[in-house]
Amino acid sequence: PKKSIAYTLTSNIPEITPFLLFMVADIPLPLGTVTILCIDLGTDMIPAISMAYEEAEADIMKRVPRNPFTDKLVNERLISVTYGMIGMIQAAAGFFTYTVILAENGFWPSYLFGLRRAWDSPAINDLKDSYGQEWTYRDRKIPEYTCHTSFFVSIVVVQWADL
């Protein structure tokens, strides 16, 4: 059960950080809510359940039973590894793909800060990118949705490596 708990906890950081930066740094949304549902209900659930049904380790009966009062399933070490290391790697992979896709479309990473309100406004159909090219609301949604997909795929790929 500890493996499945650790596996499930790792995706919390790459799901939360896009929304934090969306709100705090005013960047266009890196990961949509539908893709978060896909992560939670699709790519997290099935592997976590399968880990619960793994064969027992060979020496499991030779170990002293876990004390439920002092030996917690979720301890500081598990939290630091899942959130501090694996979760950050997944988030970094997602933000890497996010910035690459927007940069390839003319929006350099430094240009993204403070862009959210103009980016999300359907009334603005002449939003300029880093090169001065104008983007309509409909046109800029294409790279945004591509970012959502690539962020999702990068999280899934890092999850596969984590298995």
Side-chain angles (χ1 to χ4, degrees):
K2 201 165 193 173
K3 283 183 187 177
S4 60
I5 291 170
Y7 181 79
T8 306
L9 289 177
T10 58
S11 65
N12 289 346
I13 295 295
E15 289 174 358
I16 292 170
T17 51
F19 283 100
L20 288 175
L21 284 176
F22 172 71
M23 297 306 292
V24 173
D26 257 359
I27 63 173
L29 188 61
L31 183 67
T33 53
V34 173
T35 48
I36 289 176
L37 283 173
C38 290
I39 293 166
D40 289 340
L41 299 176
T43 64
D44 268 0
M45 193 175 292
I46 296 167
I49 290 170
S50 70
M51 284 181 198
Y53 288 99
E54 278 185 348
E55 296 256 342
E57 294 156 16
D59 65 339
I60 194 79
M61 296 305 288
K62 295 177 185 172
R63 294 186 200 163
V64 177
R66 179 180 65 86
N67 182 336
F69 300 107
T70 58
D71 301 328
K72 304 292 182 200
L73 276 176
V74 179
N75 55 26
E76 292 94 19
R77 184 171 183 270
L78 180 76
I79 293 292
S80 67
V81 169
T82 57
Y83 287 161
M85 190 172 68
I86 300 168
M88 290 297 186
I89 291 169
Q90 288 181 6
F95 280 110
F96 175 77
T97 60
Y98 170 78
T99 55
V100 166
I101 286 170
L102 287 179
E104 285 181 348
N105 283 282
F107 293 94
W108 290 100
S110 60
Y111 192 75
L112 298 175
F113 296 102
L115 189 64
R116 176 176 62 105
R117 286 186 176 78
W119 182 277
D120 287 335
S121 174
I124 298 176
N125 284 308
D126 58 351
L127 181 70
K128 291 186 180 178
D129 64 12
S130 303
Y131 299 111
Q133 301 174 78
E134 292 183 354
W135 289 73
T136 65
Y137 176 78
R138 186 169 163 243
D139 288 341
R140 62 185 180 260
K141 287 300 166 181
I142 296 168
E144 180 181 337
Y145 297 145
T146 306
C147 285
H148 293 186
T149 305
S150 67
F151 206 110
F152 167 74
V153 169
S154 67
I155 290 172
V156 171
V157 168
V158 176
Q159 283 180 330
W160 289 342
D162 186 34
L163 285 175

